Amino acid sequence: MAGKPGRPGARGKKKGPLKGTGGHSRKALEGRGPTPKAEDRAWHPAGKRKAAQERYAAAGGKPRVAGQGGSRPRAAKKDDDTETVTGRNSVLEALRAKIPATAFYIAQRVEMDDRVKEMLSIATNRSIPVMEVTRPELDRMAGFDGVHQGVALKVPPYEYAHPHDLLEEVIDRGEVPLFIALDGITDPRNLGAIIRSTAAFGGHGVIVPQRRSASVNSAAWKTSAGAAARLPVAVAPNLTATLKDFKKQGVFVLGLDGGGDVSLPALQLADRPVVIVVGSEGKGLSRLVTETCDQVVSIPIEAATESLNAGIAASVALYQVSTLRNPEGS
């Protein structure tokens, strides 16, 4: 039964379009003028790119912003073997060292300081693409607990040196070799810290074994605070064999271990060519490496402390050697 029109459920004839309503839309547009260009609209992506270009131009650079010319930053592929260097010090040092970077990323509305301005200047002069990205995108690039400080740099895989080449270069320069070798250090942050300390105390390089060792990845770059761009890292196919070869070249091998037979303050070999071997915090030095050492050195610490972090132990040993080699500068 059909209901009465106007009541719920009522079925009536549909009315056609009302007369006299066709001008509402035209009236709504009157007085607004022509539509602004995309780059003149602050909320539009093109407008944001224009504003970014103006900011960077004022800072002395002329970067190519992500999205300009049809290029946009894309997520790294799983098989991408490049590394992402993050942090202002690390990125700046990598740029200063002329690492062949493939892209420089900068956060939108980043705080401009002297380091950022120098990064932009170097990247522009070297024609490195500069991409403006959001902070969440930089967070993704930096990875878990990564701190990027608004900048990141894409660099090719780290180029390792050969241990014997490093030794020959130091000897040819007439310097007394000082190297750090790692035995079972698998944390890249420890590697980065050791690279930084080795560079700070006049070391000539870090030697890592080919297997069961941390590599120079983004975490190591970050922890090294840019020192990875200045200090060479060499890979030893067999660490024990490399140490034995060094001994044949007149280099003394010193192992760091809590149960060492020589206390670090009593070390007599600091002024000689030395390579200091640092073991993992848990297992320490391996048996074969211990047998290869000329001396096993211990760092005196309070009994309540079981051991030192590998990076800290290396820093203490390097400082002691540096002090004994350069007493006037201590």
Side-chain angles (χ1 to χ4, degrees), residues 314-326:
S315 298
V316 173
L318 285 164
Y319 172 76
Q320 182 69 12
V321 171
S322 176
T323 301
L324 295 174
R325 286 190 174 191
N326 307 286

Side-chain angles (χ1 to χ4, degrees), residues 192-254:
I194 291 171
I195 292 173
R196 185 176 185 178
S197 297
T198 305
F201 294 114
H204 297 103
V206 175
I207 302 171
V208 298
Q210 191 169 12
R211 299 177 59 189
R212 293 187 295 275
S213 175
S215 60
V216 184
N217 59 15
S218 56
W221 268 101
K222 173 63 179 176
T223 313
S224 76
R230 304 188 307 273
L231 188 83
V233 178
V235 171
N238 184 296
L239 182 59
T240 303
T242 298
L243 294 176
K244 290 180 178 180
D245 289 341
F246 270 44
K247 291 176 69 172
K248 293 178 182 179
Q249 298 293 324
V251 179
F252 290 91
V253 180
L254 307 179

Side-chain angles (χ1 to χ4, degrees), residues 17-317:
L18 298 178
K19 296 181 180 180
T21 60
H24 287 177
S25 298
R26 290 194 299 272
K27 290 182 179 180
L29 293 175
E30 290 180 359
R32 294 191 178 184
T35 302
K37 295 181 179 179
E39 62 182 14
D40 294 331
R41 287 176 263 173
W43 52 267
H44 195 279
K48 294 179 180 180
R49 289 197 296 269
K50 180 181 178 182
Q53 289 175 330
E54 292 175 349
R55 291 199 306 272
Y56 297 147
K62 296 181 180 179
R64 290 186 347 217
V65 183
Q68 182 177 352
S71 61
R72 298 185 63 184
R74 293 176 292 180
K77 298 179 181 179
K78 292 184 179 180
D79 58 352
D80 188 1
D81 56 358
T82 60
E83 288 292 340
T84 303
V85 181
T86 59
R88 298 194 178 188
N89 286 335
S90 300
V91 171
L92 181 56
E93 288 295 337
L95 288 170
R96 286 174 175 174
K98 298 183 179 180
I99 300 296
T102 57
F104 173 54
Y105 296 88
I106 186 168
Q108 295 174 349
R109 295 182 294 277
V110 69
E111 180 183 353
M112 286 286 182
D113 62 7
D114 291 339
R115 290 175 296 176
V116 175
K117 292 179 181 178
E118 185 176 352
M119 292 177 212
L120 287 168
S121 176
I122 295 174
T124 302
N125 292 334
R126 290 178 52 196
S127 299
I128 299 174
V130 178
M131 309 293 189
E132 185 185 42
V133 296
T134 62
R135 287 192 174 272
E137 176 66 9
L138 276 178
D139 293 339
R140 185 196 65 79
M141 296 173 62
F144 177 71
D145 74 6
V147 180
H148 51 73
Q149 297 177 304
V151 293
L153 189 70
K154 277 286 185 181
V155 298
Y158 187 84
E159 293 186 7
Y160 294 92
H162 193 283
H164 299 297
D165 292 340
L166 288 186
L167 180 59
E168 290 178 3
E169 291 173 4
V170 175
I171 294 175
D172 290 344
R173 293 198 300 264
E175 301 175 2
V176 182
L178 173 59
F179 294 99
I180 289 286
L182 308 186
D183 181 23
I185 305 296
T186 57
D187 188 341
R189 290 169 295 186
N190 270 335
L191 172 58
I194 291 171
I195 292 173
R196 185 176 185 178
S197 297
T198 305
F201 294 114
H204 297 103
V206 175
I207 302 171
V208 298
Q210 191 169 12
R211 299 177 59 189
R212 293 187 295 275
S213 175
S215 60
V216 184
N217 59 15
S218 56
W221 268 101
K222 173 63 179 176
T223 313
S224 76
R230 304 188 307 273
L231 188 83
V233 178
V235 171
N238 184 296
L239 182 59
T240 303
T242 298
L243 294 176
K244 290 180 178 180
D245 289 341
F246 270 44
K247 291 176 69 172
K248 293 178 182 179
Q249 298 293 324
V251 179
F252 290 91
V253 180
L254 307 179
L256 285 183
D257 191 272
D261 50 8
V262 177
S263 178
L264 183 62
L267 181 63
Q268 300 295 321
L269 298 174
D271 60 342
R272 314 287 180 86
V274 295
V275 53
I276 302 172
V277 189
V278 184
S280 63
E281 185 175 349
K283 298 180 180 179
L285 298 174
S286 63
R287 179 182 60 84
L288 291 177
V289 168
T290 302
E291 294 174 354
T292 307
C293 292
D294 294 300
Q295 287 184 347
V296 179
V297 183
S298 63
I299 300 175
I301 58 176
E302 294 292 333
T305 304
E306 295 182 1
S307 63
L308 293 175
N309 170 273
I312 296 176
S315 298
V316 173

Side-chain angles (χ1 to χ4, degrees), residues 1-15:
M1 178 177 175
K4 294 183 179 180
R7 292 186 178 181
R11 291 181 296 176
K13 293 183 179 180
K14 294 183 179 180
K15 295 183 178 180

